[in-house]
């Protein structure tokens, strides 16, 4: 009976901790394998940044409790998409978030790119239903729109912080580029860096390339708007990188 109680408490602790940390990290910590989580390592990942355009301006007339409910419902739906795709939630800041693929669990490049783009489309697909419900139940006047930036490349991934508090995240130029793309894209769209599209060109449809000057980068970068899954496009144009 005592052992059952211990196992029950361990399960409860695990469920609570997974609300704050990625599942692979929780598993390693509970199994006493914290040393399996490196302080920092070089890894090729695909990263997505997203936020709701003009969230504060579009909700300033709502009561704080209503805004909290709306935001929690939004994040709940987005987290479901993340879990379904196998992504790692690296950051939540208000209505903004960062999700990456390829760490802590390793994932081959084509798989992580496909999973990330599929997740982005799934997130966008959920928003119309949410807007309709918020309009009826919460009095939201203007529909909310998500903007997203995605990029792939080598980053530094690991645990950062102090002895008392650590954060598992990714840093590097490729992360900064994804964050910049998210700020440049039109609301309701997904702007994708060239390295990502090269690996996804057989499975997804993209716009014609754009040359954008990114803050902090000395040369223009080639980017594309994500249009749809390739299976949804009957008359596909030539994908980026193919002759």
């Amino acid at each position: 009976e005592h052992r059952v109680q211990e196992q029950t408490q361990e399960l409860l602790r695990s469920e609570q901790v997974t609300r704050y940390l990625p599942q692979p990290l929780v598993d390693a910590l509970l199994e006493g394998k914290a040393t399996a989580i490196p302080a920092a390592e070089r890894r090729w990942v695909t990263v997505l940044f997203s936020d709701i355009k003009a969230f504060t301006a579009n909700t300033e007339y709502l009561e704080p409790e209503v805004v909290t409910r709306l935001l929690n419902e939004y994040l709940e739906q987005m987290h479901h998409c993340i879990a379904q795709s196998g992504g790692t939630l690296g950051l939540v800041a208000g209505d903004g978030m960062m999700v990456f693929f390829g760490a802590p669990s390793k994932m081959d490049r084509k798989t992580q790119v496909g999973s990330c783009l599929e997740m982005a489309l799934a997130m966008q697909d959920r928003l119309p239903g949410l807007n309709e419900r918020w309009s009826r139940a919460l009095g939201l006047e203007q529909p909310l729109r998500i903007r997203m930036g995605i990029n792939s490349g080598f980053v530094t991934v690991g645990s950062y912080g102090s002895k008392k508090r650590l954060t598992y995240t990714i840093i590097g130029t490729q992360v900064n580029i994804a964050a910049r793309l998210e700020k440049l894209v039109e609301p309701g769209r997904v702007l994708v860096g060239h390295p990502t599209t090269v690996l996804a060109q057989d499975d997804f449809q993209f716009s014609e390339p754009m040359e954008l000057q990114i803050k902090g980068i000395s040369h223009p970068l080639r980017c594309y708007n994500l249009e749809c899954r390739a299976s949804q496009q009957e008359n596909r144009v030539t994908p980026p990188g193919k002759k």
Side-chain angles (χ1 to χ4, degrees):
E1 183 179 351
H2 180 68
R3 179 56 180 160
V4 170
Q5 291 178 348
E6 287 183 340
Q7 291 177 336
T8 300
Q9 290 300 315
E10 182 176 338
L11 178 61
L12 290 174
R13 286 194 297 272
S14 174
E15 291 177 344
Q16 290 297 319
V17 173
T18 54
R19 298 177 66 184
Y20 297 91
L21 296 172
Q23 184 67 55
L25 297 185
V26 174
D27 293 341
L29 292 171
L30 291 177
E31 294 172 9
K33 298 178 180 178
T35 55
I37 306 171
E41 66 173 326
R42 179 178 169 87
R43 187 80 69 87
W44 202 96
V45 306
T46 298
V47 56
L48 172 146
F49 280 84
S50 75
D51 76 350
I52 299 175
K53 174 65 175 178
F55 177 78
T56 300
N58 287 332
T59 59
E60 62 181 358
Y61 60 90
L62 298 175
E63 292 297 326
E65 295 81 6
V66 176
V67 175
T68 299
R69 175 182 168 185
L70 185 155
L71 187 56
N72 283 338
E73 288 183 3
Y74 167 75
L75 292 174
E76 181 72 27
Q77 293 297 314
M78 298 302 104
H79 290 176
H80 179 76
C81 295
I82 296 169
Q84 289 290 102
S85 64
T88 298
L89 180 60
L91 172 69
V92 175
D95 59 287
M97 63 180 67
M98 176 184 74
V99 184
F100 52 91
F101 294 76
S105 299
K106 291 186 177 181
M107 189 183 298
D108 71 80
R109 297 182 184 185
K110 189 174 178 64
T111 299
Q112 63 180 253
V113 163
S115 297
C116 185
L117 295 177
E118 190 67 42
M119 180 191 70
L121 291 173
M123 287 175 164
Q124 294 283 5
D125 288 345
R126 285 177 182 253
L127 201 57
L130 287 172
N131 277 320
E132 183 178 352
R133 184 163 77 240
W134 293 332
S135 176
R136 295 195 316 267
L138 304 181
L140 183 68
E141 296 177 358
Q142 295 293 329
L144 302 180
R145 294 185 294 172
I146 315 172
R147 56 185 183 184
M148 299 178 175
I150 297 175
N151 192 44
S152 302
F154 282 103
V155 304
T156 302
V157 56
S159 302
Y160 301 88
S162 65
K163 293 181 180 180
K164 293 186 177 294
R165 184 178 180 87
L166 291 172
T167 299
Y168 184 82
T169 189
I170 58 176
I171 61 173
T173 299
Q174 303 307 322
V175 181
N176 296 337
I177 289 174
R180 298 295 185 188
L181 293 179
E182 183 259 311
K183 297 303 181 186
L184 292 173
V185 70
E186 298 177 7
R189 303 304 299 270
V190 183
L191 191 57
V192 186
H194 183 70
T196 307
T197 63
V198 170
L199 291 166
Q201 57 191 6
D202 292 327
D203 302 309
F204 296 88
Q205 180 69 34
F206 299 93
S207 69
E208 293 298 318
M210 299 172 283
E211 297 288 334
L212 298 179
Q213 187 64 56
I214 307 296
K215 183 178 179 181
I217 304 298
S218 60
H219 57 282
L221 296 179
R222 186 177 298 178
C223 310
Y224 309 79
N225 279 315
L226 173 62
E227 300 292 352
C228 61
R229 302 166 184 87
S231 58
Q232 296 174 315
Q233 184 74 20
E234 294 182 0
N235 300 313
R236 287 188 69 195
V237 298
T238 302
K242 284 203 169 184
K243 302 278 187 179

